Amino acid sequence: MPTAARRSSPVVAIDGPSGAGKSSVSRGVAKALGYRYLDTGAMYRAVTWWMLRHDVDIHDAAQVAAHAALPQIETGTNPANPTITVDGLDVSGPIRGRDVTAAVSPVAAVPAVRARLVEIQRQAIGNGDIVVEGRDIGSVVVPDAELKVYLTAAPEARAARRTAELSDPAIAADEVSLHTTLHTTKESLLHRDSIDSSRSTSPLTRAEGAVEVDSTDMSLNEVVEHVVALFRSRVSAGATS
Ligand code: DC
């Protein structure tokens, strides 16, 4: 895998397990800083959607790897309007569906998929001025990010938030119907976390130098303000001193 390119502007890397609030926090921080925003989880979901649509057996790593170069993924970086297309088709709704959520962890564990997406991610990151969320951003994609945050929360809090998200009418109806209880949601989160944390390529981990933020007892605004304050003290202050 090629190393990260030289940048002229900062990158904020936000990693952590499912349901810790990474998307809302990352978008909030990007808006507050006037930065772009990249949701790398959406890219793994988009590849998974393509694999399912093309009848690729997602539990056959060799088959997934053989198809890894085929989906054409385009992702927007506007935090007010994140977009994602596969082969020119808007998949922002379908990638949140139950079938994709259940299949994404095994697909994301395939090294050929990761290598391809990391390359696209580094192109999108370009010169910086961007908040990037995922599982391996601070450890692999941008190990020299100016601010790395490892965002976590107790499993119960993560399940409660994810359940509330699923009840949002904007989320695909089929996902709502299959994740009706907190218990089911929590089990599903923990199952994905265990696959994401135990895979051999780029497992979910707290990157070296990452600041751990436990959002269990914090509101979204409090977490956003906390991360922006970390940025101001560690990055903008460093740039002017
Ligand atoms: O953040 P999310 O739930 O949309 O992520 C979907 C899946 O993609 C999740 O199982 C972990 C995986 N993922 C990854 O392996 N590396 C990333 N940088 C982002 C997501």
Side-chain angles (χ1 to χ4, degrees):
M1 202 177 285
T3 52
R6 278 181 179 279
R7 285 176 283 104
S8 53
S9 298
V11 170
V12 178
I14 303 193
D15 292 301
S18 307
K22 291 188 303 293
S23 295
S24 309
V25 169
S26 301
R27 288 173 69 178
V29 171
K31 285 180 193 166
L33 296 177
Y35 274 19
R36 297 178 298 133
Y37 158 71
L38 185 65
D39 176 0
T40 62
M43 300 170 80
Y44 287 95
R45 287 172 177 273
V47 169
T48 304
W49 176 87
W50 187 98
M51 297 284 168
L52 293 175
R53 195 175 169 142
H54 289 82
D55 292 325
V56 174
D57 177 359
I58 54 108
H59 296 293
D60 180 343
Q63 217 189 112
V64 171
H67 292 84
L70 299 182
Q72 297 303 310
I73 311 285
E74 304 262 347
T75 172
T77 56
N78 177 353
N81 180 31
T83 57
I84 180 130
T85 65
V86 183
D87 299 341
L89 215 67
D90 175 7
V91 292
S92 47
I95 62 167
R96 306 290 161 193
R98 175 194 61 86
D99 50 345
V100 171
T101 299
V104 64
S105 284
V107 172
V110 175
V113 170
R114 303 202 70 82
R116 170 116 194 282
L117 290 187
V118 168
E119 202 180 316
I120 300 173
Q121 287 158 18
R122 288 186 178 149
Q123 276 167 15
I125 291 163
N127 262 337
D129 281 339
I130 192 165
V131 179
V132 188
E133 70 155 285
R135 303 292 190 288
D136 61 340
I137 309 308
S139 57
V140 173
V141 181
V142 199
D144 62 345
E146 281 71 8
L147 176 63
K148 300 184 198 179
V149 172
Y150 188 73
L151 187 63
T152 184
E156 290 71 24
R158 297 196 276 126
R161 286 175 195 159
R162 192 44 64 94
T163 303
E165 263 174 44
L166 299 180
S167 308
D168 184 326
I171 306 288
D174 66 333
E175 190 170 15
V176 176
S177 63
L178 282 127
H179 290 261
T180 46
T181 66
L182 269 175
H183 179 74
T184 312
T185 308
K186 184 175 152 191
E187 294 301 304
S188 149
L189 285 176
L190 293 178
H191 180 61
R192 280 207 289 145
D193 286 353
S194 108
I195 301 178
D196 295 339
S197 308
S198 61
R199 67 182 176 224
S200 50
T201 308
S202 312
L204 166 66
T205 179
R206 178 177 160 176
E208 203 186 319
V211 183
E212 183 159 345
V213 177
D214 183 340
S215 69
T216 307
D217 297 316
M218 294 167 88
S219 70
L220 170 61
N221 275 350
E222 284 171 339
V223 183
V224 169
E225 278 169 20
H226 182 63
V227 175
V228 169
L230 283 172
F231 180 88
R232 302 251 187 254
S233 66
R234 293 172 175 234
V235 183
S236 354
T240 51
S241 62

Short mmCIF file of all heavy atoms in Angstrom, two decimals, residues 23-72:
data_model
loop_
_atom_site.label_atom_id
_atom_site.label_comp_id
_atom_site.label_asym_id
_atom_site.label_seq_id
_atom_site.Cartn_x
_atom_site.Cartn_y
_atom_site.Cartn_z
N SER A 23 -20.11 9.82 12.94
CA SER A 23 -20.62 10.59 11.79
C SER A 23 -21.12 11.96 12.23
O SER A 23 -20.73 12.98 11.64
CB SER A 23 -21.74 9.84 11.08
OG SER A 23 -21.22 8.66 10.52
N SER A 24 -21.97 11.99 13.26
CA SER A 24 -22.53 13.28 13.70
C SER A 24 -21.41 14.18 14.21
O SER A 24 -21.38 15.38 13.91
CB SER A 24 -23.55 13.08 14.81
OG SER A 24 -24.48 12.11 14.42
N VAL A 25 -20.49 13.60 14.99
CA VAL A 25 -19.39 14.41 15.54
C VAL A 25 -18.49 14.92 14.41
O VAL A 25 -18.13 16.10 14.36
CB VAL A 25 -18.58 13.58 16.57
CG1 VAL A 25 -17.29 14.30 16.95
CG2 VAL A 25 -19.43 13.28 17.80
N SER A 26 -18.15 14.03 13.48
CA SER A 26 -17.22 14.42 12.40
C SER A 26 -17.83 15.52 11.54
O SER A 26 -17.15 16.49 11.16
CB SER A 26 -16.89 13.22 11.52
OG SER A 26 -16.30 12.20 12.29
N ARG A 27 -19.11 15.39 11.23
CA ARG A 27 -19.76 16.43 10.42
C ARG A 27 -19.82 17.74 11.18
O ARG A 27 -19.60 18.82 10.62
CB ARG A 27 -21.16 15.98 10.01
CG ARG A 27 -21.11 14.87 8.96
CD ARG A 27 -22.48 14.31 8.66
NE ARG A 27 -23.32 15.27 7.97
CZ ARG A 27 -24.55 15.01 7.55
NH1 ARG A 27 -25.07 13.82 7.77
NH2 ARG A 27 -25.25 15.92 6.93
N GLY A 28 -20.14 17.65 12.49
CA GLY A 28 -20.21 18.86 13.32
C GLY A 28 -18.86 19.56 13.41
O GLY A 28 -18.76 20.79 13.29
N VAL A 29 -17.80 18.76 13.57
CA VAL A 29 -16.45 19.36 13.67
C VAL A 29 -16.06 19.97 12.32
O VAL A 29 -15.52 21.08 12.26
CB VAL A 29 -15.43 18.28 14.12
CG1 VAL A 29 -14.00 18.81 14.01
CG2 VAL A 29 -15.72 17.83 15.54
N ALA A 30 -16.36 19.28 11.24
CA ALA A 30 -16.03 19.80 9.89
C ALA A 30 -16.74 21.14 9.66
O ALA A 30 -16.13 22.10 9.19
CB ALA A 30 -16.41 18.78 8.82
N LYS A 31 -18.02 21.20 10.03
CA LYS A 31 -18.76 22.46 9.83
C LYS A 31 -18.15 23.57 10.68
O LYS A 31 -17.98 24.70 10.22
CB LYS A 31 -20.24 22.27 10.20
CG LYS A 31 -21.01 21.48 9.15
CD LYS A 31 -22.47 21.34 9.59
CE LYS A 31 -23.20 20.31 8.75
NZ LYS A 31 -24.47 19.89 9.33
N ALA A 32 -17.83 23.23 11.94
CA ALA A 32 -17.28 24.26 12.85
C ALA A 32 -15.94 24.79 12.34
O ALA A 32 -15.62 25.97 12.50
CB ALA A 32 -17.13 23.68 14.26
N LEU A 33 -15.14 23.93 11.72
CA LEU A 33 -13.80 24.35 11.26
C LEU A 33 -13.82 24.84 9.81
O LEU A 33 -12.80 25.31 9.31
CB LEU A 33 -12.81 23.16 11.36
CG LEU A 33 -12.53 22.62 12.77
CD1 LEU A 33 -11.59 21.41 12.68
CD2 LEU A 33 -11.91 23.70 13.66
N GLY A 34 -14.96 24.68 9.13
CA GLY A 34 -15.02 25.03 7.71
C GLY A 34 -14.24 24.03 6.87
O GLY A 34 -13.69 24.37 5.81
N TYR A 35 -14.18 22.79 7.34
CA TYR A 35 -13.43 21.73 6.65
C TYR A 35 -14.36 20.85 5.82
O TYR A 35 -15.57 20.84 5.99
CB TYR A 35 -12.74 20.84 7.70
CG TYR A 35 -11.39 21.33 8.15
CD1 TYR A 35 -11.01 22.66 7.96
CD2 TYR A 35 -10.49 20.48 8.78
CE1 TYR A 35 -9.76 23.11 8.39
CE2 TYR A 35 -9.25 20.93 9.21
CZ TYR A 35 -8.89 22.24 9.02
OH TYR A 35 -7.67 22.67 9.44
N ARG A 36 -13.75 20.04 4.94
CA ARG A 36 -14.49 19.02 4.23
C ARG A 36 -14.66 17.81 5.17
O ARG A 36 -14.09 17.78 6.26
CB ARG A 36 -13.73 18.62 2.95
CG ARG A 36 -13.58 19.79 1.97
CD ARG A 36 -12.78 19.37 0.74
NE ARG A 36 -11.43 18.98 1.09
CZ ARG A 36 -10.82 17.87 0.65
NH1 ARG A 36 -11.43 17.05 -0.17
NH2 ARG A 36 -9.58 17.58 1.02
N TYR A 37 -15.42 16.83 4.69
CA TYR A 37 -15.74 15.66 5.54
C TYR A 37 -15.74 14.40 4.68
O TYR A 37 -16.29 14.40 3.58
CB TYR A 37 -17.11 15.87 6.17
CG TYR A 37 -17.81 14.62 6.64
CD1 TYR A 37 -17.36 13.92 7.76
CD2 TYR A 37 -18.94 14.12 5.96
CE1 TYR A 37 -18.01 12.77 8.19
CE2 TYR A 37 -19.58 12.97 6.39
CZ TYR A 37 -19.11 12.31 7.51
OH TYR A 37 -19.75 11.17 7.92
N LEU A 38 -15.09 13.35 5.16
CA LEU A 38 -15.09 12.09 4.41
C LEU A 38 -15.54 10.94 5.31
O LEU A 38 -14.94 10.69 6.36
CB LEU A 38 -13.67 11.81 3.88
CG LEU A 38 -13.53 10.58 2.97
CD1 LEU A 38 -14.33 10.76 1.67
CD2 LEU A 38 -12.06 10.30 2.65
N ASP A 39 -16.59 10.24 4.87
CA ASP A 39 -17.14 9.10 5.61
C ASP A 39 -16.62 7.82 4.94
O ASP A 39 -17.16 7.36 3.94
CB ASP A 39 -18.67 9.15 5.55
CG ASP A 39 -19.33 7.96 6.21
OD1 ASP A 39 -18.60 7.08 6.72
OD2 ASP A 39 -20.57 7.91 6.22
N THR A 40 -15.55 7.24 5.51
CA THR A 40 -14.95 6.06 4.86
C THR A 40 -15.80 4.81 5.06
O THR A 40 -15.76 3.90 4.24
CB THR A 40 -13.51 5.81 5.36
OG1 THR A 40 -13.55 5.53 6.76
CG2 THR A 40 -12.62 7.00 5.09
N GLY A 41 -16.60 4.79 6.14
CA GLY A 41 -17.51 3.65 6.35
C GLY A 41 -18.50 3.54 5.20
O GLY A 41 -18.84 2.43 4.75
N ALA A 42 -18.96 4.69 4.70
CA ALA A 42 -19.90 4.69 3.58
C ALA A 42 -19.26 4.04 2.35
O ALA A 42 -19.94 3.38 1.55
CB ALA A 42 -20.34 6.12 3.25
N MET A 43 -17.93 4.19 2.21
CA MET A 43 -17.26 3.59 1.05
C MET A 43 -17.23 2.06 1.16
O MET A 43 -17.44 1.35 0.19
CB MET A 43 -15.84 4.16 0.92
CG MET A 43 -15.85 5.67 0.74
SD MET A 43 -14.21 6.42 0.89
CE MET A 43 -13.58 6.06 -0.72
N TYR A 44 -16.95 1.55 2.39
CA TYR A 44 -16.98 0.09 2.58
C TYR A 44 -18.40 -0.43 2.37
O TYR A 44 -18.61 -1.52 1.83
CB TYR A 44 -16.43 -0.28 3.97
CG TYR A 44 -14.93 -0.11 4.03
CD1 TYR A 44 -14.36 1.06 4.51
CD2 TYR A 44 -14.09 -1.09 3.53
CE1 TYR A 44 -12.99 1.25 4.52
CE2 TYR A 44 -12.71 -0.92 3.54
CZ TYR A 44 -12.17 0.25 4.03
OH TYR A 44 -10.81 0.43 4.00
N ARG A 45 -19.37 0.36 2.80
CA ARG A 45 -20.76 -0.04 2.60
C ARG A 45 -21.11 -0.05 1.11
O ARG A 45 -21.83 -0.93 0.62
CB ARG A 45 -21.70 0.93 3.34
CG ARG A 45 -21.68 0.74 4.85
CD ARG A 45 -22.46 1.84 5.57
NE ARG A 45 -22.50 1.64 7.00
CZ ARG A 45 -23.41 0.90 7.63
NH1 ARG A 45 -24.40 0.35 6.94
NH2 ARG A 45 -23.37 0.73 8.93
N ALA A 46 -20.59 0.93 0.36
CA ALA A 46 -20.90 1.02 -1.07
C ALA A 46 -20.31 -0.18 -1.83
O ALA A 46 -20.97 -0.76 -2.71
CB ALA A 46 -20.36 2.33 -1.63
N VAL A 47 -19.08 -0.57 -1.47
CA VAL A 47 -18.48 -1.75 -2.11
C VAL A 47 -19.30 -2.99 -1.77
O VAL A 47 -19.56 -3.85 -2.63
CB VAL A 47 -17.00 -1.93 -1.65
CG1 VAL A 47 -16.45 -3.28 -2.08
CG2 VAL A 47 -16.15 -0.79 -2.22
N THR A 48 -19.74 -3.07 -0.52
CA THR A 48 -20.54 -4.22 -0.08
C THR A 48 -21.86 -4.27 -0.85
O THR A 48 -22.29 -5.35 -1.31
CB THR A 48 -20.81 -4.12 1.44
OG1 THR A 48 -19.55 -4.03 2.11
CG2 THR A 48 -21.60 -5.31 1.95
N TRP A 49 -22.48 -3.12 -1.01
CA TRP A 49 -23.74 -3.05 -1.78
C TRP A 49 -23.51 -3.59 -3.20
O TRP A 49 -24.30 -4.37 -3.72
CB TRP A 49 -24.22 -1.59 -1.82
CG TRP A 49 -25.43 -1.38 -2.67
CD1 TRP A 49 -26.74 -1.50 -2.28
CD2 TRP A 49 -25.45 -1.03 -4.06
NE1 TRP A 49 -27.56 -1.25 -3.34
CE2 TRP A 49 -26.81 -0.96 -4.44
CE3 TRP A 49 -24.47 -0.77 -5.01
CZ2 TRP A 49 -27.19 -0.63 -5.75
CZ3 TRP A 49 -24.84 -0.45 -6.30
CH2 TRP A 49 -26.20 -0.38 -6.65
N TRP A 50 -22.40 -3.20 -3.81
CA TRP A 50 -22.07 -3.64 -5.18
C TRP A 50 -21.88 -5.16 -5.21
O TRP A 50 -22.37 -5.85 -6.10
CB TRP A 50 -20.81 -2.92 -5.66
CG TRP A 50 -20.46 -3.15 -7.10
CD1 TRP A 50 -20.76 -2.34 -8.15
CD2 TRP A 50 -19.75 -4.28 -7.65
NE1 TRP A 50 -20.28 -2.89 -9.32
CE2 TRP A 50 -19.65 -4.07 -9.04
CE3 TRP A 50 -19.17 -5.43 -7.09
CZ2 TRP A 50 -19.01 -4.97 -9.89
CZ3 TRP A 50 -18.54 -6.33 -7.94
CH2 TRP A 50 -18.47 -6.10 -9.32
N MET A 51 -21.16 -5.70 -4.21
CA MET A 51 -20.89 -7.16 -4.15
C MET A 51 -22.21 -7.92 -4.05
O MET A 51 -22.41 -8.93 -4.74
CB MET A 51 -20.01 -7.50 -2.94
CG MET A 51 -18.63 -6.87 -2.97
SD MET A 51 -17.53 -7.70 -4.13
CE MET A 51 -16.16 -6.53 -4.19
N LEU A 52 -23.11 -7.45 -3.20
CA LEU A 52 -24.40 -8.13 -3.03
C LEU A 52 -25.19 -8.07 -4.33
O LEU A 52 -25.79 -9.05 -4.75
CB LEU A 52 -25.20 -7.49 -1.88
CG LEU A 52 -24.61 -7.65 -0.47
CD1 LEU A 52 -25.45 -6.87 0.55
CD2 LEU A 52 -24.54 -9.13 -0.07
N ARG A 53 -25.17 -6.91 -4.95
CA ARG A 53 -25.93 -6.72 -6.17
C ARG A 53 -25.41 -7.59 -7.32
O ARG A 53 -26.14 -7.97 -8.22
CB ARG A 53 -25.84 -5.25 -6.57
CG ARG A 53 -26.88 -4.92 -7.59
CD ARG A 53 -26.88 -3.45 -7.89
NE ARG A 53 -27.70 -3.26 -9.06
CZ ARG A 53 -28.51 -2.26 -9.25
NH1 ARG A 53 -28.61 -1.34 -8.37
NH2 ARG A 53 -29.22 -2.18 -10.34
N HIS A 54 -24.10 -7.89 -7.27
CA HIS A 54 -23.50 -8.72 -8.33
C HIS A 54 -23.33 -10.18 -7.90
O HIS A 54 -22.52 -10.91 -8.49
CB HIS A 54 -22.17 -8.11 -8.78
CG HIS A 54 -22.36 -6.84 -9.56
ND1 HIS A 54 -22.55 -5.62 -8.94
CD2 HIS A 54 -22.43 -6.60 -10.88
CE1 HIS A 54 -22.71 -4.68 -9.86
NE2 HIS A 54 -22.65 -5.25 -11.05
N ASP A 55 -24.08 -10.56 -6.85
CA ASP A 55 -24.09 -11.96 -6.39
C ASP A 55 -22.71 -12.50 -6.05
O ASP A 55 -22.43 -13.69 -6.26
CB ASP A 55 -24.75 -12.87 -7.44
CG ASP A 55 -26.24 -12.58 -7.55
OD1 ASP A 55 -26.84 -12.25 -6.51
OD2 ASP A 55 -26.76 -12.64 -8.68
N VAL A 56 -21.86 -11.64 -5.53
CA VAL A 56 -20.55 -12.11 -5.05
C VAL A 56 -20.77 -12.68 -3.65
O VAL A 56 -21.46 -12.08 -2.83
CB VAL A 56 -19.54 -10.93 -5.00
CG1 VAL A 56 -18.23 -11.36 -4.36
CG2 VAL A 56 -19.32 -10.38 -6.40
N ASP A 57 -20.20 -13.87 -3.39
CA ASP A 57 -20.33 -14.48 -2.07
C ASP A 57 -19.43 -13.71 -1.10
O ASP A 57 -18.20 -13.85 -1.15
CB ASP A 57 -19.91 -15.96 -2.14
CG ASP A 57 -19.97 -16.63 -0.77
OD1 ASP A 57 -20.32 -15.95 0.22
OD2 ASP A 57 -19.65 -17.84 -0.71
N ILE A 58 -20.05 -12.92 -0.21
CA ILE A 58 -19.25 -12.02 0.63
C ILE A 58 -18.45 -12.79 1.70
O ILE A 58 -17.58 -12.21 2.35
CB ILE A 58 -20.11 -10.90 1.29
CG1 ILE A 58 -21.30 -11.49 2.05
CG2 ILE A 58 -20.61 -9.92 0.24
CD1 ILE A 58 -21.16 -11.41 3.52
N HIS A 59 -18.74 -14.08 1.87
CA HIS A 59 -17.96 -14.87 2.82
C HIS A 59 -16.80 -15.59 2.14
O HIS A 59 -16.04 -16.32 2.78
CB HIS A 59 -18.87 -15.87 3.56
CG HIS A 59 -19.88 -15.15 4.40
ND1 HIS A 59 -19.54 -14.41 5.51
CD2 HIS A 59 -21.23 -15.03 4.27
CE1 HIS A 59 -20.63 -13.87 6.03
NE2 HIS A 59 -21.67 -14.22 5.29
N ASP A 60 -16.66 -15.39 0.82
CA ASP A 60 -15.55 -15.97 0.07
C ASP A 60 -14.57 -14.84 -0.24
O ASP A 60 -14.73 -14.08 -1.21
CB ASP A 60 -16.11 -16.60 -1.23
CG ASP A 60 -15.02 -17.24 -2.07
OD1 ASP A 60 -13.83 -16.93 -1.86
OD2 ASP A 60 -15.37 -18.03 -2.96
N ALA A 61 -13.53 -14.73 0.61
CA ALA A 61 -12.61 -13.58 0.51
C ALA A 61 -11.93 -13.51 -0.86
O ALA A 61 -11.69 -12.42 -1.38
CB ALA A 61 -11.57 -13.66 1.62
N ALA A 62 -11.64 -14.68 -1.45
CA ALA A 62 -10.97 -14.68 -2.76
C ALA A 62 -11.89 -14.10 -3.83
O ALA A 62 -11.45 -13.33 -4.71
CB ALA A 62 -10.54 -16.10 -3.13
N GLN A 63 -13.18 -14.44 -3.73
CA GLN A 63 -14.14 -13.92 -4.70
C GLN A 63 -14.32 -12.41 -4.53
O GLN A 63 -14.38 -11.66 -5.51
CB GLN A 63 -15.49 -14.64 -4.51
CG GLN A 63 -16.20 -14.89 -5.82
CD GLN A 63 -17.63 -15.39 -5.60
OE1 GLN A 63 -18.56 -14.68 -5.91
NE2 GLN A 63 -17.76 -16.59 -5.07
N VAL A 64 -14.39 -11.97 -3.28
CA VAL A 64 -14.52 -10.53 -3.01
C VAL A 64 -13.29 -9.81 -3.55
O VAL A 64 -13.40 -8.78 -4.25
CB VAL A 64 -14.70 -10.25 -1.49
CG1 VAL A 64 -14.62 -8.76 -1.19
CG2 VAL A 64 -16.03 -10.83 -1.01
N ALA A 65 -12.10 -10.37 -3.29
CA ALA A 65 -10.86 -9.74 -3.75
C ALA A 65 -10.82 -9.65 -5.27
O ALA A 65 -10.39 -8.64 -5.84
CB ALA A 65 -9.65 -10.53 -3.23
N ALA A 66 -11.30 -10.69 -5.93
CA ALA A 66 -11.27 -10.73 -7.41
C ALA A 66 -12.14 -9.63 -8.01
O ALA A 66 -11.92 -9.20 -9.14
CB ALA A 66 -11.72 -12.10 -7.90
N HIS A 67 -13.14 -9.16 -7.24
CA HIS A 67 -14.05 -8.13 -7.75
C HIS A 67 -13.76 -6.74 -7.16
O HIS A 67 -14.46 -5.78 -7.49
CB HIS A 67 -15.50 -8.51 -7.42
CG HIS A 67 -15.99 -9.71 -8.19
ND1 HIS A 67 -15.76 -11.00 -7.77
CD2 HIS A 67 -16.67 -9.81 -9.35
CE1 HIS A 67 -16.28 -11.85 -8.63
NE2 HIS A 67 -16.84 -11.15 -9.60
N ALA A 68 -12.74 -6.66 -6.31
CA ALA A 68 -12.54 -5.42 -5.53
C ALA A 68 -12.29 -4.19 -6.40
O ALA A 68 -12.62 -3.07 -6.00
CB ALA A 68 -11.38 -5.61 -4.55
N ALA A 69 -11.72 -4.37 -7.58
CA ALA A 69 -11.37 -3.20 -8.41
C ALA A 69 -12.54 -2.72 -9.26
O ALA A 69 -12.43 -1.67 -9.90
CB ALA A 69 -10.19 -3.57 -9.30
N LEU A 70 -13.64 -3.45 -9.27
CA LEU A 70 -14.70 -3.14 -10.24
C LEU A 70 -15.65 -1.98 -9.87
O LEU A 70 -15.96 -1.16 -10.73
CB LEU A 70 -15.49 -4.41 -10.56
CG LEU A 70 -14.63 -5.53 -11.18
CD1 LEU A 70 -15.49 -6.74 -11.52
CD2 LEU A 70 -13.90 -5.03 -12.43
N PRO A 71 -16.13 -1.91 -8.62
CA PRO A 71 -17.08 -0.82 -8.34
C PRO A 71 -16.41 0.55 -8.45
O PRO A 71 -15.32 0.77 -7.92
CB PRO A 71 -17.53 -1.09 -6.89
CG PRO A 71 -16.74 -2.22 -6.39
CD PRO A 71 -15.91 -2.79 -7.46
N GLN A 72 -17.07 1.46 -9.14
CA GLN A 72 -16.54 2.83 -9.26
C GLN A 72 -17.20 3.69 -8.19
O GLN A 72 -18.38 4.02 -8.29
CB GLN A 72 -16.85 3.39 -10.66
CG GLN A 72 -16.17 2.63 -11.79
CD GLN A 72 -14.65 2.58 -11.61
OE1 GLN A 72 -14.02 3.60 -11.38
NE2 GLN A 72 -14.08 1.38 -11.68
#
